[in-house]
C-alpha cells in the first residue's frame, strides 16, 4: 500500500507540472503578439509556481489555514483546466480535471 501512496504523491507532482505546461501552452498559443506570448507563456507559469511554493506545496514557506490552502489549491489547479479549455483542448482539460479530482480524493483518504 505504501508503494501506491508514493505513486499517488508522485503523480500529484506530475499534475502540478502539467498545470505549468498548460498555462505556458495557453500563453504561447492564444496570444496575438510576441510580447504577450512571452509575458503570459513564461510569466504566468512562473507566477503560479511561486504561489504554489509559497502557499500550497507540502513544504510551503508560508503556512495558511486549511480552508485557504484548499481554496488556493483548487484555484491554481483549476487554472490548468481553464487554460486547456481556452486553448481549445477540451478533451485534455476534462482528463486533467478528472485526474486532479481523483488524485485529491486519494490524498485526503490516505492523509498525504
Amino acid at each position: 500500500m505504501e508503494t501506491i501512496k508514493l505513486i499517488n504523491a508522485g503523480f500529484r507532482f506530475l499534475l502540478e507540472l502539467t498545470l505549468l505546461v498548460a498555462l505556458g501552452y495557453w500563453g504561447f498559443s492564444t496570444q496575438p503578439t510576441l510580447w504577450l506570448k512571452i509575458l503570459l507563456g513564461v510569466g504566468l507559469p512562473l507566477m503560479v509556481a511561486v504561489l504554489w511554493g509559497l502557499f500550497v506545496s507540502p513544504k510551503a514557506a508560508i503556512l495558511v489555514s486549511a480552508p485557504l490552502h484548499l481554496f488556493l489549491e483548487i484555484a491554481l489547479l483549476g487554472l490548468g483546466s481553464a487554460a486547456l479549455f481556452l486553448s481549445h483542448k477540451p478533451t485534455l482539460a476534462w482528463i486533467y480535471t478528472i485526474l486532479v479530482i481523483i488524485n485529491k480524493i486519494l490524498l485526503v483518504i490516505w492523509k498525504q
Side-chain angles (χ1 to χ4, degrees):
M1 186 59 137
E2 292 304 314
T3 303
I4 295 172
K5 289 181 180 181
L6 185 61
I7 290 170
N8 190 53
F11 188 66
R12 174 53 171 246
F13 180 67
L14 290 177
L15 290 171
E16 294 165 11
L17 292 178
T18 303
L19 159 65
L20 300 176
V21 170
L23 291 173
Y25 179 79
W26 170 79
F28 280 110
S29 68
T30 63
Q31 301 309 307
T33 63
L34 180 61
W35 72 271
L36 271 177
K37 287 178 187 282
I38 293 170
L39 179 69
L40 295 175
V42 175
L44 187 58
L46 279 175
M47 185 179 73
V48 168
V50 168
L51 288 173
W52 191 274
L54 285 175
F55 300 107
V56 183
S57 75
K59 296 180 181 181
I62 301 170
L63 297 177
V64 295
S65 66
L68 180 57
H69 183 273
L70 181 62
F71 171 78
L72 289 170
E73 188 177 0
I74 291 169
L76 293 176
L77 289 170
L79 283 176
S81 296
L84 290 169
F85 274 114
L86 292 171
S87 299
H88 308 291
K89 304 290 183 195
T91 303
L92 289 177
W94 280 114
I95 291 169
Y96 172 77
T97 302
I98 291 166
L99 291 175
V100 166
I101 291 168
I102 292 169
N103 178 258
K104 182 59 182 176
I105 290 169
L106 293 175
L107 287 171
V108 169
I109 289 171
W110 293 331
K111 297 179 174 123
Q112 291 181 289

